[in-house]
Amino acid sequence: QRNCDAVHPGYGFLSENADFARKVEAAGLKWVGPKPETIDALGDKVKARSVAMACGVPVVPGTDGPIDQLADAQEFCNAHGFPVIIKAAMGGGGRGMRVVRSAEELDSAFERARSEALSAFGDGTVFIERFLDRPKHIEVQLLGDGSGSVIHLYERDCSVQRRHQKVIEIAPAPALDVAVRDAILADAVKIAEHVNYRNAGTAEFLVDTRGHYFIEINPRIQVEHTVTEEITGLDLVSLQLHIAAGWTLPDLHISQERIQIRGFAIQCRVTTEDPSQGFQPDIGKIEVYRSPGGNGVRLDGGSGFTGSIITPHYDSMLVKITCSGATFEKARRRMLASLVEFRISGVKTNMWFLQRLLSNDTFIGGACWTTFIDDSPELFTVTKFRNRAAKLLTYLGDLVVNGCRIQGQVSTPAADLQEPTIPALLDAQGQAVSVAAAPPPGWRDVLLKSGPAAFAQAVRQHPGVLIMDTTWRDAHQSLLATRLRTHDMERIAPTTAHAMANAFALEMWGGATFDVAMRFLHEDPWDRLDRLRALVPNIPFQMLLRGANAVGYTSYPDNVVFEFCKQARQHGVDVFRVFDSLNYVENLKLGIDAVRAANGVIEATVCYTGDVSNPAKHPKYTLEYYLDLVDELVALDIHILGIKDMAGLLKPRAARLLVGAIRERHPTLPIHVHTHDTAGAGVAAMVACAEAGADIIDLAIDSMSGVTSQPCMGAFVAAVEGSDLDTGIAAEAIAALNSYWEQTRLLYSCFDPGVKAADTSVYTHEMPGGQYTNLLFQAQSLGLGSRWNDVKAAYTEANRICGDLVKVTPSSKVVGDFAQFMVSNHLTGDEVVARAATLSFPKSVVEFFQGFLGQPVGGFPEALRAAIIRDEPRIEGRPGASLQPFDFDQLRRDLEDKWGPGSIRDVDLLSAALYPAVFDEFQAMRQKY
């Protein structure tokens, strides 16, 4: 009807269908393939076997003909033994094949093979052969003209296959004995001549140490014909068309003598299959498709191009790559280079698996066998390709169109920002210090040499006051909503390692920085720890550990906290500041035990609130309360005592009273004090602490200090310089670092809520420094910016009706959420208490009153508690004590099912256990960009 002259069936199933070939010829068309009767004779494996035996060509011992009864199969196996292979008589492509290694397997394997053959080919007959272990699969390309002339175009090694489907093909076979090759080629031609073969076909053999065995002839062109074309220089499809048009081999000037091999060729089939998931086909849209090219690289393409949609309804092969070279090694290297050059994104492919195959020593030696892939599990170790260029372009495109979407910005970033300049560091003689050289020894060297207990005592015996620099954690958490990137810390890290070599520690991890890194910065907190640890080997790293809450906002099973501390220690944390937001000793004890098990330095911490110098105004948190609490912690065999003044409430007089009393009672205990400078009295308070016997003081680099951050490092160092309290840190070194952080803070001005000066109202509302900044931003985001004073007043009221809490994350979040709830709903404290039974409170408030954070000092206000939690369960005692151990193995299985085998590290399990939703969003972001 369309005036066609011929039909070329390709290499699909119709190419081996004799009835279809007859109908084509009956319609007056040329059939580009063997004669229908030849397809009948050779397309059936049993008939082809009979032809081979008639020609004297060796075959694998097998049944005399097709069988469909289990009894016949059992008879053959009894005579020839196991293993055997059951094959579909009318099949190909691996369908209807089963290897049977014992009599017990025969029954079920026979039925499965018959059923599969019937479904795939419409014929359930099978035959059985002796199975050869580790044979090579060699096939010979044949060409006949139907007039008596038959030639071979040499052999191909198709041994690299999976479930009888070829994966890589090589021509000629790189490690085949010459005598065996000649015998195989001669036998292939003998069979083709016997049936007066017409057109292209392939004779297939198995080769083992005992010889070669004919298995079948494929009466069609094959997928891998390209490698033969590359080594012979002949166009097989063109020759097929000429022969179908009536040309003979002599007409085409082709004879066996004129066929010469030129080097080697390898073909790889690039498919949208995921080898790590059992070669499961993938579907989707191809977002990037960039193919290789050049001399010796041939591409036979299909459905692969940018924008194409890969569906489950068609073959998964995208393209065939054929690479040739003068030697097998040159062809192999060219193929590897081509696969590396290939870029496909949007769907999974098997290219990483092909690269592993091509790089395997067995493949390089040409010694692969037919089950090599199944026998080599190391091939399935996933190689990750990050596709960085495409992901970066996608990210930049999103940034250009949608702008920066990192939450927490209070203004638009300036347009003329520059990357900060790294300052020069000078030694005492005014010579430039090479920060690329190894830094001088520091306190971490003492810790690594002596262990935590001896380290703590060395700190206590040190004559001056030691500094902990909070710039890398609490300072930017308090001033810039915790948005400081790892990149900006990395750039100054080598200089810091030299300038702060005498520092007690750098606080750089834990607390809010953990989840914010993933949630807002799209960074991995564990990577931050690893990268900074490598750059600062001499100064201890300190992290903030929320006791039984780890770095989260709720309680976790005990094994999560223990595993977290173990991994943190292994990745570089040295000192663990263990605190509890309610000073609840049972929660503290769990954290202390976990740090001890990890061999970290235990800094058990008392959270400070109230005013010990004014017990009449603050009767709950008296000096006696704190001393009793310290006694309980010391009894737990801690290394260092921390005093954590989150709101900056520790006035100079109170500092002398508290630190002096602790020092008198515990003269050998190292004391470490932390405060915030919200009220502006921080430097004076820290000097008072040092004079009263504190060993370590928390400070921040000048331009990152003050207001809600820590007191100014430069001011404190100058205040004690030359005295018995001298810090050993040079003012010039601080000034050099400060020049960097002055510039860096400008980069983050869009996250700075604009707290410009001290606020002594903190002595009333007692809001922690970091929370002060965050609440101000949240109030502005919720349209309550003009009511900031109302928020502070509500915070005071919320704290009062909760029973006057120790306010540290996460208890401070409870009070903050409560305060915003009151302001948004125009409620006073008394109105909340009166209407508590009918109000819908924030989740954090309800969970606090249930007991999810532990037990507050003095207990809960029970009447309000009952009204808020109503029928919700109460938790008495330590919340985590009743939790079942966390199943990390199941979590790994779940995450690898979602993100890919081998993609989840031990530390990723902890991130997901602590913050499941945040980790999921982080992984999705990382995978996309």
Side-chain angles (χ1 to χ4, degrees):
Q1 293 176 352
R2 299 294 178 182
N3 297 317
C4 292
D5 300 302
V7 171
H8 193 303
Y11 33 68
F13 286 129
L14 286 177
S15 64
E16 298 184 37
N17 190 307
D19 290 337
F20 179 62
R22 289 189 184 96
K23 290 178 181 179
V24 169
E25 292 187 341
L29 297 167
K30 295 293 185 182
W31 170 254
V32 185
K35 301 171 186 176
E37 54 269 28
T38 304
I39 297 176
D40 264 336
L42 298 178
D44 181 327
K45 291 183 177 65
V46 177
K47 292 179 181 178
R49 180 184 176 87
S50 299
V51 170
M53 293 171 68
C55 295
V57 175
V59 297
V60 178
T63 53
D64 294 333
I67 61 174
D68 56 11
Q69 298 297 319
L70 178 62
D72 296 330
Q74 291 170 334
E75 181 181 349
F76 175 85
C77 293
N78 290 336
H80 296 278
F82 293 94
V84 299
I85 185 169
I86 305 171
K87 296 183 179 181
M90 299 301 295
R95 291 172 174 83
M97 289 188 178
R98 289 289 185 278
V99 174
V100 185
R101 297 186 179 276
S102 67
E104 291 75 19
E105 301 173 15
L106 181 60
D107 191 347
S108 60
F110 183 79
E111 290 304 320
R112 286 199 302 272
R114 289 188 68 250
S115 175
E116 193 172 302
L118 183 63
S119 174
F121 312 113
D123 186 335
T125 56
V126 298
F127 69 97
I128 302 180
E129 293 178 343
R130 187 176 71 199
F131 179 70
L132 308 179
D133 267 325
R134 293 196 168 189
K136 297 184 76 66
H137 186 168
I138 305 296
E139 61 185 30
V140 179
Q141 179 65 60
L142 296 168
L143 195 66
D145 58 15
S147 301
S149 295
V150 176
I151 61 169
H152 67 76
L153 275 65
Y154 292 91
E155 82 284 356
R156 301 186 285 258
D157 187 338
C158 301
S159 301
V160 183
Q161 51 188 257
R162 189 189 71 88
R163 296 182 181 175
H164 310 288
Q165 292 276 17
K166 296 156 191 172
V167 176
I168 296 179
E169 297 89 5
I170 310 163
L176 190 63
D177 181 79
V178 173
V180 175
R181 171 184 286 116
D182 291 343
I184 289 174
L185 297 176
D187 283 346
V189 172
K190 190 185 301 183
I191 294 172
E193 288 177 339
H194 183 82
V195 297
N196 193 21
Y197 196 86
R198 183 187 74 187
N199 221 280
T202 307
E204 304 202 12
F205 297 82
L206 293 177
V207 180
D208 67 4
T209 55
R210 292 175 290 180
H212 68 279
Y213 309 92
F214 171 80
I215 50 175
E216 63 177 321
I217 281 188
N218 282 307
R220 57 178 169 85
I221 195 78
Q222 289 195 274
V223 175
E224 60 270 20
H225 73 277
T226 59
V227 290
T228 297
E229 292 183 336
E230 291 302 309
I231 67 166
T232 62
L234 297 176
D235 185 335
L236 285 174
V237 176
S238 174
L239 292 174
Q240 280 190 291
L241 294 172
H242 278 85
I243 291 170
W247 293 49
T248 64
L249 294 183
D251 293 337
L252 295 166
H253 304 289
I254 293 177
S255 64
Q256 190 67 65
E257 293 74 22
R258 300 187 67 175
I259 306 300
Q260 299 295 322
I261 292 177
R262 301 180 303 183
F264 285 79
I266 302 173
Q267 178 188 282
C268 288
R269 307 181 190 190
V270 176
T271 66
T272 56
E273 296 175 327
D274 185 358
S276 67
Q277 297 295 316
F279 291 86
Q280 177 179 335
D282 194 22
I283 59 174
K285 179 181 179 181
I286 296 180
E287 297 173 351
V288 175
Y289 186 92
R290 187 171 75 244
S291 56
N295 183 42
V297 179
R298 168 178 172 174
L299 302 176
D300 291 70
S303 55
F305 56 89
T306 300
S308 65
I309 305 298
I310 305 301
T311 75
H313 310 300
Y314 197 63
D315 192 286
S316 61
M317 186 165 68
L318 287 179
V319 63
K320 297 183 293 182
I321 310 179
T322 305
C323 292
S324 55
T327 65
F328 172 64
E329 180 61 13
K330 288 182 178 179
R332 185 188 72 86
R333 288 180 176 272
R334 183 164 286 153
M335 178 63 78
L336 269 174
S338 297
L339 290 170
V340 169
E341 186 179 341
F342 226 129
R343 286 291 182 272
I344 300 174
S345 67
V347 292
K348 295 183 177 70
T349 74
N350 66 335
M351 288 196 295
W352 65 266
F353 181 74
L354 294 172
Q355 291 184 43
R356 291 193 66 81
L357 272 171
L358 289 159
S359 304
N360 185 274
D361 289 340
T362 301
F363 179 88
I364 294 172
C368 294
W369 58 94
T370 54
T371 58
F372 171 67
I373 290 178
D374 294 330
D375 298 340
S376 306
E378 68 275 9
L379 295 173
F380 292 87
T381 302
V382 178
T383 301
K384 295 182 180 179
F385 294 94
R386 291 180 287 176
N387 198 17
R388 291 168 293 179
K391 290 182 177 182
L392 179 59
L393 287 172
T394 302
Y395 178 77
L396 291 175
D398 180 79
L399 194 65
V400 168
V401 173
N402 299 307
C404 179
R405 290 183 286 175
I406 295 179
Q407 298 179 38
Q409 297 180 73
V410 295
S411 62
T412 304
D416 58 348
L417 295 174
Q418 301 292 322
E419 190 163 58
T421 302
I422 305 296
L425 194 63
L426 304 179
D427 62 20
Q429 289 73 42
Q431 300 297 313
V433 174
S434 173
V435 298
W443 281 96
R444 187 164 188 262
D445 297 276
V446 177
L447 172 61
L448 296 179
K449 180 180 179 180
S450 306
F455 165 81
Q457 285 309 302
V459 167
R460 176 69 191 106
Q461 293 162 15
H462 182 72
V465 175
L466 293 173
I467 287 176
M468 185 172 83
D469 183 3
T470 66
T471 305
W472 289 6
R473 199 202 71 81
D474 202 3
H476 73 87
Q477 177 179 330
S478 299
L479 297 175
L480 305 173
T482 329
R483 298 304 192 267
L484 190 63
R485 303 173 301 167
T486 303
H487 170 76
D488 293 307
M489 295 183 235
E490 276 186 304
R491 296 187 68 240
I492 197 63
T495 306
T496 302
H498 286 264
M500 302 293 291
N502 197 49
F504 167 77
L506 301 176
E507 188 190 46
M508 49 73 63
W509 210 64
T513 58
F514 190 90
D515 64 293
V516 168
M518 292 188 291
R519 192 193 304 267
F520 298 128
L521 299 179
H522 314 301
E523 291 187 2
D524 189 318
W526 299 97
D527 288 349
R528 171 180 293 188
L529 179 55
D530 290 338
R531 288 154 63 182
L532 294 177
R533 178 79 283 168
L535 294 170
V536 186
N538 59 328
I539 306 174
F541 281 174
Q542 176 165 305
M543 74 159 289
L544 201 59
L545 184 74
R546 296 168 178 158
N549 305 135
V551 288
Y553 299 93
T554 187
S555 291
Y556 300 96
D558 293 359
N559 66 321
V560 172
V561 180
F562 273 79
E563 182 64 19
F564 179 87
C565 292
K566 172 186 171 184
Q567 291 294 337
R569 184 74 184 97
Q570 290 177 356
H571 284 260
V573 172
D574 301 297
V575 182
F576 294 75
R577 175 174 280 167
V578 185
F579 75 98
D580 179 72
S581 66
L582 299 174
N583 281 342
Y584 183 45
V585 174
E586 289 303 311
N587 280 348
L588 279 164
K589 186 177 184 301
L590 177 72
I592 289 168
D593 290 343
V595 174
R596 194 187 319 280
N599 197 36
V601 177
I602 304 166
E603 183 178 303
T605 302
V606 170
C607 293
Y608 179 83
T609 190
D611 184 357
V612 296
S613 65
N614 191 353
K617 187 176 180 180
H618 298 277
K620 189 172 185 178
Y621 300 102
T622 62
L623 181 61
E624 289 70 25
Y625 161 76
Y626 288 113
L627 289 174
D628 290 344
L629 180 57
V630 170
D631 288 345
E632 287 190 75
L633 296 180
V634 170
L636 297 176
D637 193 25
I638 64 175
H639 299 130
I640 297 173
L641 174 73
I643 299 173
K644 184 175 175 62
D645 174 22
M646 280 294 291
L649 304 178
L650 190 62
K651 302 170 186 175
R653 179 166 174 261
R656 292 187 182 91
L657 283 171
L658 179 62
V659 176
I662 296 172
R663 172 56 64 230
E664 183 178 355
R665 186 173 292 190
H666 299 285
T668 63
L669 177 67
I671 300 174
H672 185 172
V673 185
H674 172 92
T675 192
H676 289 252
D677 201 19
T678 310
V683 173
M686 292 304 98
V687 170
C689 287
E691 291 174 343
D695 301 281
I696 313 154
I697 300 297
D698 283 3
L699 304 164
I701 292 293
D702 301 11
S703 54
M704 294 290 287
S705 70
V707 292
T708 56
S709 179
Q710 279 65 61
C712 176
M713 184 183 297
F716 181 92
V717 168
V720 299
E721 186 177 15
S723 71
D724 292 341
L725 303 176
D726 196 301
T727 63
I729 304 290
E732 294 77 11
I734 296 172
L737 293 177
N738 188 53
S739 70
Y740 175 83
W741 288 108
E742 281 179 327
Q743 301 169 69
T744 303
R745 188 164 178 180
L746 293 175
L747 290 179
Y748 293 88
S749 59
C750 57
F751 298 104
D752 192 333
V755 180
K756 302 298 184 183
D759 179 7
T760 55
S761 69
V762 70
Y763 293 130
T764 300
H765 58 68
E766 300 180 350
M767 195 181 296
Q771 187 180 33
Y772 186 102
T773 306
N774 291 335
L775 267 185
L776 176 57
F777 167 73
Q778 291 172 25
Q780 293 167 341
S781 301
L782 294 171
L784 301 175
S786 61
R787 301 185 62 191
W788 175 233
N789 286 331
D790 294 338
V791 172
K792 290 192 287 186
Y795 193 95
T796 305
E797 277 292 277
N799 178 51
R800 179 184 66 81
I801 62 178
C802 285
D804 190 10
L805 302 179
V806 175
K807 291 168 289 299
V808 189
T809 307
S811 64
S812 57
K813 182 180 185 299
V814 173
V815 179
D817 290 349
F818 210 157
Q820 291 194 73
F821 168 78
M822 291 168 62
V823 174
S824 298
N825 291 281
H826 305 283
L827 295 169
T828 66
D830 291 341
E831 287 171 337
V832 168
V833 173
R835 297 168 52 189
T838 61
L839 294 174
S840 179
F841 290 93
K843 181 181 178 182
S844 63
V845 175
V846 176
E847 290 185 346
F848 163 71
F849 278 101
Q850 284 182 260
F852 275 97
L853 299 186
Q855 305 300 306
V857 177
F860 294 98
E862 287 299 334
L864 181 61
R865 184 186 195 191
I868 289 177
I869 69 174
R870 297 157 201 169
D871 296 329
E872 295 295 329
R874 297 185 178 210
I875 299 173
E876 306 296 344
R878 183 168 68 83
S882 60
L883 297 176
Q884 293 296 313
F886 192 85
D887 190 344
F888 284 107
D889 292 336
Q890 183 59 51
L891 179 61
R892 185 185 295 277
R893 289 190 290 269
D894 293 343
L895 292 176
E896 292 195 345
D897 284 345
K898 185 167 188 176
W899 303 110
S903 64
I904 301 300
R905 306 166 300 171
D906 290 345
V907 291
D908 294 327
L909 295 177
L910 287 161
S911 298
L914 294 166
Y915 290 100
V918 174
F919 179 77
D920 198 54
E921 292 170 4
F922 168 67
Q923 283 288 94
M925 178 78 176
R926 185 160 61 174
Q927 190 172 77
K928 183 176 181 180
Y929 295 122

